[in-house]
Amino acid sequence: MQFQQLQYFVAVAETRHFTRAAELVHVAQPSLSQQIKALERELGADLFLRARGNITLTDAGEALLPLARRILADADTARYEVQELVQLRRGRVRLGATPSLCTGLLPDVLRAFHDRYPGIQLVIEESGSHDLVRELARGALDLALIVLPLPTPAPALSTVTLLREELVVVSSPEVPAPGRGGRVAHIADLEGERLVMFRHGYDLRELTVAACRAEGFEPDFAVEGGEMDAVLGFVRAGLGAAVVPRMVASRSGGGLRVTALARPGLHRTIALAHRSDVAPPRAARELQRMLLER
């Protein structure tokens, strides 16, 4: 049974005339008649009672008609749904990002994407780079913003560098500024400072601890184990200082003092990643383009 045969059958059933049905579906009348006969042979039953000037449906034709209409309607729906996806009117993008990037980088880009493609659903997975790489590998994400370099190679991923992000020290204005109290501090000035530290597995934790150890001291934690919002809240409360991305510090509102780190300072490299063996969906590729052009 062919899709085209069902179209011809419905046309004849609705017009009750082979010639008018052929005109309706834009095919020669002999071709339409041949396809109807082929459909009848396939089904093993006559679909029409053919009398001069009077075409009526047989019982088999009456049974087939609603089913054929449903099949044709489902095909139209499928065609429409695919066109909606292709033209970016509907769909879904699953994007992973570290909490600091969700706070700093993503809001403006996602707002621009949503304004342009309001029918695309955005699903955001907030986690550390290690977890995001694992989610990408198992197909649970289309794209992820991760921090490079990865602790272990991930050959199944394709990555492109997005930005090099400056890190700063944030503290409460109610307590002395880190170091000598100026606008710039050195990593060495954090020795003896009480720090608010992120949980294990957080890229910023590992980077900060490694920088302190490179200066010959172990950082002193006042509080540890929080996510970005919790860390900023503890800093505002005066529990200690924290090393965070400048974009996060700029967006965090009042209640924080921002101190730059002296050159060479601290930076981290943000990359956009996806599986190298699977092309991202059209909507995800469009979000990827907007992130790269930001």
Side-chain angles (χ1 to χ4, degrees), residues 194-240:
R194 300 279 283 167
L195 298 181
V196 177
M197 186 52 65
F198 300 95
R199 62 171 173 81
H200 285 283
Y202 222 93
D203 305 290
L204 288 168
R205 177 192 181 105
E206 296 170 7
L207 196 152
T208 302
V209 170
C212 292
R213 288 174 177 169
E215 292 293 325
F217 69 94
E218 286 290 323
D220 183 13
F221 301 154
V223 183
E224 63 174 318
E227 300 282 348
M228 180 60 70
D229 288 343
V231 166
L232 295 177
F234 295 151
V235 171
R236 286 192 184 93
L239 292 173

Side-chain angles (χ1 to χ4, degrees), residues 70-88:
R70 188 185 313 159
I71 291 170
L72 296 177
D74 287 345
D76 286 337
T77 300
R79 187 181 300 109
Y80 175 78
E81 292 289 334
V82 170
Q83 289 174 348
E84 289 282 274
L85 287 171
V86 170
Q87 298 176 22
L88 293 170

